[in-house]
Structures are given as C-alpha cells and as structure tokens.
Amino acid sequence: MRPSTILLFKNIGIILAIVLISACNTNQQPGYKSTEPVNYVDMVYPQLDTEHSRWFFFASASRPFGMVNLSPDTEIEGAWGSGYRYKTDTIKGFSHIHGWQTSGLSVMPVTLTKEHTSTIFEDFYSAFSHDTEKISPGHHLVQLERYGIKAELTSTKRVGLHQYSFPKDASPGILFNLNTMLGPSKNQNGSLEQIDGRTLVGQLDMAPTHRRPKPFLLFFQVQFNTTLDSITKDQDSGNYLVYTNPEQKTVLMKVGISYTSIKNAENNSATELDHWDFEKVVNESKDEWNTLLGRVKIAGNTKTQRRRFYTDLWHALQGRRVINDINGAYPDNTGPDLRIGQLPLDSNGKIQFNHYNSDAFWGAQWTLSTLWGLVYPDIMEDFTHSLMQYYKDGGILPRGPSGGNYTYVMTGASSTPFVVSAIQKEILKDNLDSIYMALRKNHTMGGIMSKAGYEHTTSLGGGLKHYMENGFVPYPIPEGKFGGHQDGASLTLEYAYQDWTLAQLAKKLGRKDDFDYFLKRSQNYKNVFDNSSGYMRPKKINGEWQEHFDPFLYENGFNESNGAQSTWFVPHDPEGLASLVGGKEAAVQKLNKQFTNAEKLGFTSGTSHDVELHPEYSRIPINYGNQPSMQTAYMFHVLNIPDLTQYWSKKVLDKVFSGLNPGTGYNGDEDQGLMGSLAVLMKLGLFQMNGGTENNPKYQLSPPIFDEIRIDLHPKYYSGKTFIISKNTSLTNESIPKKVLFNGKNLEKMNLHHSSITSGGTLKYQFDNP
C-alpha cells in the first residue's frame, strides 16, 4: 500500500532514498518456526548496556516486579553509576533491593583466616571474572576469586535464596553489611539477632534521599540449612560476621524481606519458600519469566535481533517493584507517620492487587501504556489500582512513588494518560467516576501538576497557577527555585497534552463542562510556539520571549531536552502543530531535516545519560536516548506520511536498539522499562501517538522487523485469542509494502483500532504480488 503523497515528497528530495532503503533484516537468516518451543529466558541478555547502567537498571536473580531484586554490586555509591557495572571487576556484596530510590541488605560470603579476621569488616571485596559468570533471568552465578567461593543467587518474589560453595579447607562466614552507603541511599541503624541455631532476624533504615524525603524501614528473616557457629559485631561499623558450621561447605541461605515487620518477613518466607531445593526455585523463576515473555512469539530476522527483542521485552517488565507483603500489608508513608496499610482481599483471602514502588510514568504514554495495554493488561490494571491506593491514602495520585510515599519525580501528571489509556482500552471498567476525580485533582491547584521535580514541601515550582491564568508556564518561574525541572516551555507542552487526555475521559463520562475546559487548556501549547524561530520557545512572566534563544541549547526552558527536540511534543494535536510550523509539507520537511542531522550523531546524545550535557551531544535535534523525543518518527505517520515513519524508525532501530553488548543498549537512561518498551513497539510496528487515550484508541502501523509475530491476548480482558503480524519478504530490497491486509481486507490507512486488534486476527504486509 503506497499513500498518495508522492507530490509532497518531490519538494523534499527524499523519495529515492525511501524506495531504495533496504528492509531492517537485509542480513536475514532463517528464523525458527513460531510453533517451536522456546526457552525465552535463554534469549535474554541481562548484561545489555551495563557499562552505563544505574542502581535499578540491572537485574538477575529476581521475579517479575519482585520485592527482592538480588544481584552483585560492583559499585555502591550513588543512584547513578552504581549497582552492577560491567567494567568494574570487583564485587562489593550481594544486595537484595535495587529499586527506585531504595536499596538494602548487602551480604558477602567470605573465608576467614586469623590474619584476615581483624580486618574483614573493612577489607572484604573480591575480584571476579565474566568468563566464569552465568546470568539469566532468575539466576546469577559468580566465582569470588579471592575466596574460591562459587556463589549462586535466585529468588521468589519476596525471598532471596543464596547457595555458597566454600573450599574444602575454608572457614566459612557471611558478612552482613547492614550499615553502608548502598546505591541511592545510606543503610543505617542495622541490627541482627539470632533466634535459634539456624535463624536470624533484623532490620535497617534506608536514610532519606533528595528524591525520597522520608526514611524507609526494611525487616528481614535469615534462615540457614546449617547450624550457626557464632556471630561477631563490629563496634565501629555496626556490621556483623556470621560464622557457619565449619563442616558444612555448601551453605544455603534464605532471606525473606518485608517493609512492614519481621513477622511479615517470616510469613513471606514461609509462604513463598518452604524448602531448600535451589534448582527448583531457579526453574520456577524461569517458568514465570517464560510465561510473560512468551506472550509475544517472533520468527525471522537474525538470532541477535531475536535475542535483543526478548531482552527489550524483559526490560519492559523490570525496575518497578512490589512493596506489599503476601498477606497484603504495606507501608503507607504518605502521612506524617508510617502507617501499615492493608490491601483488599478477595473471597479466598488473597490480595486483589499489588502495591508498587515506581519511577515516574514520564514518557510511559509512548511505551508502557501501549505495550502493557495490549500484551499485559493484567499488569496495567494492577498498577492503576496501586496508584489509586496512594490517592486513597495520601490524597494525590502519584507520578513516581518510593518508600510508600510520593517523590514528585519529574514533572506534570504523567499518570493521567496511563490511567486514561487503561480505561479507554476497557481494562478498567468500574469506579470510573472516582478514578476521574482522582486524576482531575492533579490538574488543579494543589495537585501534582503544581509541583516540580522533587518539590516535597511547596506547590509553586510547577507553575500551574501561571498556566491556568495566562496559558503558559514562564521561564524562569518568578517565585523562585523550589524543585528540579522548572522548565516552563516543557511544562506548558506537557500539561497541554495531559489536559487533552483528561478531557477524553471527561467526554467518555459525560462531563461536558470539564471536557470543554480541559480541551481548551490543551491548546496552550500554541502559546509557546515562536513563529519567528519556528520552534517552541520559553516565555518570560511578562509574556515576552526569552532573549538570545538557541533552539539547540539543552535544558534552557526544556526538561531533559532542547527546543528543537521538544517542538514536536504535541502528540494530541499534530495537525495543529503542523499549521503553526507552516503546514504539513513544511512540518514534514522540517522534521525530516532534524532526523537527517540527528543521524550524524547516531540519534542519541552520546551513549549514557550523564553525557547529555556534552556541548556537542546536547545539540542533537532528535534524541532517542531520552523520553521527550520518543515519538518523533511517528509524527510523520500522523501527518499522513507513514513511509517516512518507516524509513526513520528503521534507521533508529538499527543504530540505537539493535546492539547486544554491555556497551550499548539504552544509553544509560532505561527508566524502568521505558526504553525497552519503546524498542519492542517499534520492532512490532505498533505505536500510539497520543498514548491510546482517545475512545477506542488507534495504533499507527509500520512493518515489523520480523517475519511473523504472534501476540497471545489475555482472555480475561480481550475476546480474541491471538493477534498475528506477518510479512511477505521475498523482495527484501523494497521497504514499502504494496498491500496491507487485516483479516484479508485491504487497509486504506496504516491504522488499526484497539478493539479490532484485541478481537484477534492477522495483519499482513505484502511486499510483492504472490
């Protein structure tokens, strides 16, 4: 199917490149049949981009969204550049919690000599080699070279299971490093107590951080498969060394954790792990991962591309962590003092949903909302109920909670499009008026839009008062500095889009006055478009444009972006934006030029988040290394030029999301599944420009990079059984399909409604005439 847009391209000078560009699988190898059994965890490469990763980025011995995320730490200082860093060859402990602004319970198996006993609390790190390391979802094996110990890790959702094989002549011990800097937070006030010959209990505090304003408690129970010989406490550090039975050289250790009490840590452990079969836990963890990863089955392209796809999909299910116990108890820190809350139970006494610790949903409208909404609606529903639980407890629906409390990470009301998308896809059907009122509060004074990033005690940094009164957020905000990301032009664009999504829900619920009001506010993006420069531009409080404006100057009124990148942040009204730019043809030409220039820098601001401020990288006009540019390739599609979407998205995929090594992957800013989700969607050829927030949402389509894709639809939510995407690739030198068929009928436009997809069927791209 070729859109009738050839005349438009004649003035752009790119049609020849579009026709000649090869398909993304030009180096294609025969793929396995989609019916062939696949062990999906073996396709995942956990080390992807670990040279640039951050504290919560890496995972190994964990379950999907597990409270326990057990893995080795090679760096332990700071939220950035910490955790498992591939190029650091020294292990400094195995810790159980790697979450958004959370960390805790670092342990280290050691062998002891008389000389070492006096220095063990300060000198316990060990070198290791990647050559003898084995990592897969749910399992991590590493050799501690200093001690000759083979350490293996696995877990259930709330219990870490360790297996340490000590040398025959060793005196085995385990160091509990309870008082230490660990990633984003200092662990302090740690204590450990022996209950019986094989059991310890304890607790520690995660000190407040700049982002998480209150301390967070961790409780734990530790059980051994062998007797304990003795415990030594270091008076200087407050840490503990546990000596186990010297005759037992294979030591297994269960660590059940809780954020509410030692009793609930014990219950979590007893309920989830009542045996000592290490391999059984590893296999059960792999089965759980395989079940989720296997909802999407692919065939074709190279083995490397298939492995990268499942690594991306795995990342889409990472980072955000359960904080409730198995009985439904959870920490509520939204009030002045810690309260232990209780999630609702069903008639069988099981919790109705989980409660979560989560980084912001900033950018989730183009990533998690679409992917979870189609493939994992059960997860999307769970997270929405969790967001509502925070609203019931603290009065505000969060955008990124940590430690059972608000963090006000990033800006705006990013949870609004996420929740609205779940409603429009009919994942949520009950209590919609209550949900609407919770969302609406965030769009009014005193709600979360009033707060800039990490603005805990005031509500001025978000500039919402100015937005409501004058139609834009000024830069700088005249009241002063109250939080991070007080970048008025970006805030205006973000609020306008989020207002539009709320208006769609108001319309669905028959709230006409609210619909009219928020729809009008959604046009505020026009107030920061500067005709003279052709870009979005910051405005001062008096309505005058910022002087000496440079559209390529990073974070100059724009959040984690520059004016050139953020000009395209109008996902709810692309035609209105095009009109401002000078019409569709001018808009396409402008955006195409930005992509052409961005290609010279590989479409990203360097290979890690911390170099985005580099004077050369920061001036890139399109940045696929951060959230504000995630949608730009599909802007061509909604401007009726899907061919260019296909052209540039393939180039982005090839350059940004195709590598499979520790030095590449997500450019160090994989905000808990956002970049992984984006890569998955672009490879499937499914996108939703407005985040799937309109009635019966549409998907913008482009040919996938695989020959066949089978998505298993969740029977609780959708009537169809399977949605299949396939393509005829006998002509691989042409990237534009001659026909696109859905259930045998020709599609006039490259769009499909959500209800059509979830009713099941086959979408087929035909590149030649059969």
Side-chain angles (χ1 to χ4, degrees):
M1 180 183 70
R2 295 177 185 271
S4 57
T5 55
I6 303 299
L7 290 176
L8 181 58
F9 287 122
K10 287 183 178 179
N11 292 327
I12 303 176
I14 57 174
I15 187 66
L16 182 61
I18 295 174
V19 173
L20 294 178
I21 188 69
S22 296
C24 200
N25 55 355
T26 52
N27 189 30
Q28 193 176 45
Q29 298 174 0
Y32 53 80
K33 294 181 180 179
S34 59
T35 55
E36 179 183 336
V38 176
N39 192 12
Y40 298 102
V41 295
D42 290 343
M43 304 288 284
V44 174
Y45 181 70
Q47 299 96 318
L48 184 71
D49 207 14
T50 50
E51 288 184 16
H52 309 297
S53 61
R54 55 203 286 198
W55 178 251
F56 59 59
F57 181 96
F58 175 78
S60 53
S62 66
R63 299 289 180 100
F65 306 106
M67 181 184 289
V68 165
N69 184 18
L70 181 58
S71 60
D73 297 320
T74 63
E75 298 288 356
I76 59 173
E77 294 281 341
W80 292 87
S82 62
Y84 182 89
R85 297 280 284 191
Y86 191 84
K87 284 191 171 181
T88 304
D89 64 357
T90 304
I91 289 178
K92 301 176 180 178
F94 303 122
S95 65
H96 292 74
I97 298 167
H98 296 82
W100 164 240
Q101 292 300 301
T102 58
S103 63
L105 192 50
S106 180
V107 302
M108 185 73 166
V110 296
T111 58
L112 298 163
T113 63
K114 287 184 178 180
E115 295 77 14
H116 193 201
T117 301
S118 61
T119 60
I120 186 65
F121 289 102
E122 296 82 27
D123 178 21
F124 58 88
Y125 298 167
S126 173
F128 76 106
S129 171
H130 295 302
D131 293 338
T132 55
E133 184 181 35
K134 296 181 181 179
I135 311 174
S136 65
H139 181 232
H140 200 131
L141 183 154
V142 65
Q143 300 280 352
L144 299 179
E145 295 177 355
R146 178 176 185 176
Y147 305 111
I149 298 171
K150 181 175 76 171
E152 293 190 75
L153 312 171
T154 189
S155 70
T156 66
K157 250 185 174 53
R158 299 171 179 85
V159 186
L161 182 60
H162 306 239
Q163 181 169 272
Y164 302 137
S165 299
F166 290 89
K168 291 182 180 180
D169 58 348
S171 177
I174 299 172
L175 178 68
F176 284 77
N177 201 20
L178 304 182
N179 300 281
T180 179
M181 191 67 198
L182 196 59
S185 178
K186 183 178 181 181
N187 288 187
Q188 59 189 20
N189 302 322
S191 64
L192 193 66
E193 178 183 357
Q194 185 170 353
I195 299 301
D196 57 37
R198 296 174 180 239
T199 308
L200 308 168
V201 296
Q203 68 181 76
L204 59 83
D205 299 350
M206 299 175 219
T209 72
H210 167 65
R211 294 166 172 83
R212 174 175 51 77
K214 293 181 181 179
F216 192 37
L217 301 179
L218 172 66
F219 304 90
F220 53 91
Q221 180 203 51
V222 184
Q223 297 172 282
F224 293 87
N225 71 330
T226 184
T227 56
L228 304 179
D229 196 53
S230 62
I231 300 179
T232 298
K233 180 180 180 180
D234 179 53
Q235 296 304 316
D236 292 332
S237 66
N239 295 324
Y240 298 79
L241 180 61
V242 176
Y243 297 84
T244 60
N245 183 348
E247 303 301 318
Q248 182 72 37
K249 303 305 181 184
T250 300
V251 175
L252 283 96
M253 180 175 74
K254 297 180 192 176
V255 182
I257 69 172
S258 168
Y259 297 127
T260 61
S261 68
I262 289 175
K263 180 179 178 180
N264 278 331
E266 294 171 346
N267 183 55
N268 289 339
S269 188
T271 305
E272 292 189 354
L273 188 55
D274 62 355
H275 61 82
W276 291 99
D277 189 336
F278 186 87
E279 290 303 318
K280 181 180 179 181
V281 179
V282 171
N283 290 330
E284 288 174 346
S285 184
K286 289 183 177 181
D287 287 345
E288 187 172 350
W289 280 115
N290 276 331
T291 298
L292 288 179
L293 295 173
R295 291 191 191 181
V296 184
K297 301 170 177 65
I298 59 174
N301 213 312
T302 66
K303 183 178 180 180
T304 297
Q305 282 288 19
R306 295 195 296 272
R307 290 198 66 194
R308 175 59 195 261
F309 176 84
Y310 283 110
T311 304
D312 292 332
L313 190 60
W314 180 63
H315 268 268
L317 302 170
Q318 280 292 348
R320 300 161 201 271
R321 301 285 163 195
V322 166
I323 64 169
N324 61 281
D325 298 312
I326 198 166
N327 63 8
Y330 69 91
D332 172 21
N333 256 319
T334 60
D337 300 303
L338 174 65
R339 180 186 76 91
I340 306 304
Q342 174 63 50
L343 297 176
L345 307 177
D346 63 19
S347 58
N348 297 315
K350 294 185 178 181
I351 55 174
Q352 294 182 9
F353 57 89
N354 284 301
H355 207 27
Y356 292 94
N357 196 83
S358 173
D359 196 357
F361 286 91
W362 198 71
Q365 68 269 11
W366 298 315
T367 56
L368 298 181
S369 292
T370 300
L371 180 63
W372 288 2
L374 180 59
V375 184
Y376 304 106
D378 48 335
I379 293 172
M380 195 172 197
E381 180 181 15
D382 222 36
F383 270 82
T384 302
H385 288 315
S386 177
L387 293 171
M388 283 298 295
Q389 189 65 49
Y390 281 103
Y391 172 75
K392 293 172 184 176
D393 290 337
I396 297 178
L397 196 143
R399 59 185 178 223
S402 181
N405 192 19
Y406 307 106
T407 68
Y408 308 110
V409 53
M410 298 312 298
T411 54
S414 56
S415 296
T416 297
F418 180 82
V419 175
V420 172
S421 181
I423 293 172
Q424 298 286 27
K425 292 168 183 172
E426 298 189 345
I427 295 169
L428 295 174
K429 299 180 180 179
D430 299 326
N431 303 313
L432 298 188
D433 285 303
S434 297
I435 295 173
Y436 174 81
M437 293 307 295
L439 296 173
R440 189 186 190 282
K441 182 175 180 180
N442 272 347
H443 292 242
T444 59
M445 292 303 299
I448 212 162
M449 271 187 178
S450 300
K451 293 177 176 287
Y454 319 118
E455 185 182 355
H456 304 296
T457 59
T458 53
S459 295
L460 296 171
L464 185 61
K465 174 178 179 289
H466 301 289
Y467 175 84
M468 293 172 64
E469 292 178 356
N470 304 317
F472 68 95
V473 179
Y475 178 78
I477 294 175
E479 288 85 354
K481 187 72 173 176
F482 300 96
H485 305 302
Q486 294 187 193
D487 297 284
S490 275
L491 294 177
T492 303
L493 296 170
E494 186 177 1
Y495 298 172
Y497 162 64
Q498 291 162 358
D499 280 344
W500 187 86
T501 66
L502 186 61
Q504 304 315 298
L505 182 55
K507 181 180 180 180
K508 185 182 188 75
L509 299 179
R511 297 174 175 267
K512 186 179 184 307
D513 290 345
D514 275 10
F515 169 71
D516 292 339
Y517 172 69
F518 287 111
L519 188 66
K520 181 179 179 180
R521 277 189 12 178
S522 75
Q523 295 295 298
N524 282 343
Y525 75 89
K526 296 177 180 178
N527 296 328
V528 290
F529 183 83
D530 172 29
N531 289 314
S532 64
S533 68
Y535 293 101
M536 299 295 175
R537 181 174 179 177
K539 265 185 179 177
K540 295 185 290 186
I541 183 62
N542 61 5
E544 295 179 357
W545 295 114
Q546 178 193 51
E547 296 98 343
H548 312 297
F549 172 62
D550 180 351
F552 301 99
L553 185 60
Y554 194 76
E555 290 193 338
N556 181 36
F558 298 94
N559 290 343
E560 297 191 3
S561 61
N562 58 37
Q565 297 166 18
S566 289
T567 289
W568 305 99
F569 193 105
V570 188
H572 60 293
D573 190 14
E575 292 188 354
L577 173 63
S579 179
L580 293 178
V581 172
K584 288 185 179 180
E585 183 174 345
V588 168
Q589 191 168 6
K590 182 183 184 72
L591 184 57
N592 187 69
K593 183 179 180 181
Q594 287 187 215
F595 267 97
T596 301
N597 291 331
E599 185 179 13
K600 299 171 185 176
L601 287 173
F603 302 109
T604 66
S605 293
T607 56
S608 63
H609 190 45
D610 58 359
V611 300
E612 280 189 344
L613 291 174
H614 185 283
E616 180 182 0
Y617 301 149
S618 66
R619 297 184 67 81
I620 193 170
I622 300 290
N623 177 23
Y624 268 88
N626 208 325
Q627 285 75 40
S629 287
M630 287 172 129
Q631 85 293 1
T632 43
Y634 280 83
M635 283 298 297
F636 294 112
H637 194 299
V638 294
L639 294 176
N640 299 320
I641 316 292
D643 300 353
L644 275 179
T645 289
Q646 187 176 334
Y647 177 79
W648 286 115
S649 63
K650 284 183 177 182
K651 282 183 170 286
V652 169
L653 285 175
D654 183 58
K655 188 65 178 178
V656 183
F657 298 122
S658 292
L660 199 67
N661 63 73
T664 62
Y666 306 110
N667 308 290
D669 195 29
E670 167 63 315
D671 282 334
Q672 302 196 321
L674 296 186
M675 290 299 183
S677 299
L678 176 67
V680 166
L681 293 168
M682 292 179 73
K683 291 169 185 181
L684 296 179
L686 297 172
F687 201 78
Q688 292 185 309
M689 176 58 71
N690 65 37
T693 54
E694 83 272 37
N695 184 48
N696 194 11
K698 287 191 297 186
Y699 293 79
Q700 289 80 48
L701 308 176
S702 60
I705 71 169
F706 302 106
D707 292 346
E708 183 177 277
I709 298 158
R710 302 176 68 93
I711 299 175
D712 294 337
L713 300 170
H714 200 298
K716 176 183 174 182
Y717 301 89
Y718 302 132
S719 60
K721 183 177 180 181
T722 307
F723 175 58
I724 300 171
I725 308 172
S726 66
K727 64 179 184 179
N728 180 327
T729 57
S730 60
L731 290 178
T732 58
N733 65 339
E734 187 175 357
S735 66
I736 305 171
K738 286 184 168 61
K739 288 184 179 180
V740 181
L741 307 173
F742 180 63
N743 291 340
K745 296 182 179 180
N746 189 49
L747 287 180
E748 294 299 324
K749 293 185 177 181
M750 297 279 280
N751 298 307
L752 265 182
H753 285 285
H754 181 75
S755 60
S756 298
I757 290 177
T758 56
S759 295
T762 299
L763 177 67
K764 185 172 183 178
Y765 293 89
Q766 188 170 300
F767 286 81
D768 65 344
N769 295 315

